Amino acid sequence: MNRRKFLQRTSLSAAVLSLAPTAFAAPKKKGAFRVGFLTDVHVKPTDIAEQGMRNAYRHINALRPSVDFIVNGGDSIMDALNASREKVQKQWDVWNRVLEAENRLPIHHCIGNHDAWGWQMTDPEVKNDPLYDKQWVLKQHKMPGRFYSFEHKGWKFVVLDSAQENNGGYIARIDEPQFAWLENELKNTAAQMHICIISHIPIVSFVSAVFSDKNEANGDWRISRALLHVDSRRLTNLFKGYANIRCCLSGHIHMQDAVDYKNIQYYCNGAVSGNWWGGAFHDFDPAYAVFDFAADGSVKREMVTYG
């Protein structure tokens, strides 16, 4: 994108921001509250990425006070998998600068695969660095752990860590200590409390199958272990025992879908960065999601393009 088009888009987004507070009426259902889900920002030290993140966070903050908090769905920075310490630090510096300037809402973080440092690097100094793996993102976001839960107005939000290192790459699943924790967390949640489960990588999704531009040579769908939870059956079998699990939210695919599977709504919520700051990805514009959570357990989503 050239600078002229970038400035034109920035001016347009400013005009949209001025209308943002009237774009959403207050949640209609009794006891409902609203949450912004911003995922796959992939910010980096370029003008387009930094301004794009600013526009998105200005837009969601313009909806205050109707939004109670933000969930960051992961992949906050462009990439730490194969980047030097200096390059990773520069990415986090942009993230911090924009958040400090533009965000006034509480924010809860989920870890994305690109937030983990050094998985694709062979330098032993990186592997032995105390910030290696997910330690840097945990410290950066001041997270209570790589998986955790919190409660808000009769709902429990369970945040999972869905990307695990796999021979220099990553695989979408939760590890055994996390699964045991999840089993216990669900078992000890009161039946009258509604549950929303958050993972960076989808547990159930259609767009994971159409991420690739073509099928396998024999016609089979091409669904990578990096695009959909390989333990999806195990997780959905666990979820069957809990009628109070209402929805699961994810990002990662940079595309949007909504799948109703075994009485649970699975939402994949696009990407703030779209095509990694190169416009739309597979016809999905840069966007974020706004969710209304109601006291009766119902959930409503609206996708928001922010300029």
Side-chain angles (χ1 to χ4, degrees), residues 137-209:
V137 63
L138 287 170
K139 182 179 180 181
Q140 162 62 47
H141 290 324
K142 299 180 174 61
M143 294 172 66
R146 57 190 182 90
F147 48 89
Y148 64 99
S149 69
F150 63 95
E151 297 178 10
H152 187 78
K153 295 182 179 178
W155 281 76
K156 175 175 279 191
F157 293 83
V158 178
V159 182
L160 301 179
D161 170 26
S162 60
Q164 312 305 323
E165 194 274 337
N166 184 50
N167 297 320
Y170 62 92
I171 187 170
R173 64 174 177 81
I174 65 174
D175 52 279
E176 289 304 318
Q178 187 175 181
F179 189 86
W181 172 86
L182 178 60
E183 284 185 305
N184 190 61
E185 190 73 18
L186 296 177
K187 187 185 304 181
N188 291 313
T189 300
Q192 65 270 23
M193 178 168 282
H194 309 301
I195 298 174
C196 168
I197 293 176
I198 297 165
S199 61
H200 176 65
I201 302 174
I203 295 170
V204 172
S205 169
F206 171 73
V207 291
S208 295

Side-chain angles (χ1 to χ4, degrees), residues 12-250:
L12 176 61
S13 67
V16 173
L17 290 174
S18 68
L19 300 177
T22 60
F24 290 86
K28 294 180 179 180
K29 290 200 173 185
K30 183 178 179 181
F33 62 94
R34 181 164 289 152
V35 174
F37 191 93
L38 282 73
T39 188
D40 295 86
V41 174
H42 286 285
V43 78
K44 57 182 178 178
T46 66
D47 289 344
I48 290 176
E50 180 168 347
Q51 189 61 51
M53 181 181 171
R54 285 185 186 277
N55 288 350
Y57 272 89
R58 284 176 187 170
H59 201 283
I60 187 68
N61 273 264
L63 300 179
R64 292 182 299 153
S66 70
V67 176
D68 283 22
F69 60 88
I70 290 171
V71 172
N72 165 29
D75 280 359
S76 304
I77 59 175
M78 180 56 75
D79 180 66
L81 292 171
N82 191 22
S84 68
R85 179 189 260 270
E86 292 73 24
K87 288 183 178 179
V88 174
Q89 185 61 61
K90 286 179 180 179
Q91 293 174 74
W92 284 124
D93 287 345
V94 180
W95 173 268
N96 289 327
R97 183 165 63 246
V98 174
L99 271 194
E100 183 177 357
E102 309 297 348
N103 185 52
R104 297 296 178 267
L105 284 161
I107 183 167
H108 300 275
H109 300 278
C110 180
I111 299 175
N113 51 290
H114 285 280
D115 299 323
W117 182 41
W119 286 354
Q120 295 178 348
M121 300 174 73
T122 57
D123 185 346
E125 290 188 12
V126 172
K127 303 294 186 183
N128 293 322
D129 194 294
L131 293 178
Y132 173 68
D133 194 18
K134 295 165 184 170
Q135 295 308 307
W136 198 334
V137 63
L138 287 170
K139 182 179 180 181
Q140 162 62 47
H141 290 324
K142 299 180 174 61
M143 294 172 66
R146 57 190 182 90
F147 48 89
Y148 64 99
S149 69
F150 63 95
E151 297 178 10
H152 187 78
K153 295 182 179 178
W155 281 76
K156 175 175 279 191
F157 293 83
V158 178
V159 182
L160 301 179
D161 170 26
S162 60
Q164 312 305 323
E165 194 274 337
N166 184 50
N167 297 320
Y170 62 92
I171 187 170
R173 64 174 177 81
I174 65 174
D175 52 279
E176 289 304 318
Q178 187 175 181
F179 189 86
W181 172 86
L182 178 60
E183 284 185 305
N184 190 61
E185 190 73 18
L186 296 177
K187 187 185 304 181
N188 291 313
T189 300
Q192 65 270 23
M193 178 168 282
H194 309 301
I195 298 174
C196 168
I197 293 176
I198 297 165
S199 61
H200 176 65
I201 302 174
I203 295 170
V204 172
S205 169
F206 171 73
V207 291
S208 295
V210 293
F211 181 89
S212 176
D213 290 328
K214 58 183 179 180
N215 288 25
E216 299 288 358
N218 66 359
D220 286 346
W221 287 97
R222 181 179 294 176
I223 305 179
S224 165
R225 62 182 177 267
L227 295 178
L228 185 72
H229 264 255
V230 298
D231 54 357
S232 178
R233 293 185 187 89
R234 186 186 191 192
L235 289 171
T236 55
N237 284 335
L238 174 64
F239 296 167
K240 283 193 299 186
Y242 298 93
N244 54 340
I245 300 177
R246 306 299 184 185
C247 62
C248 296
L249 315 183
S250 67

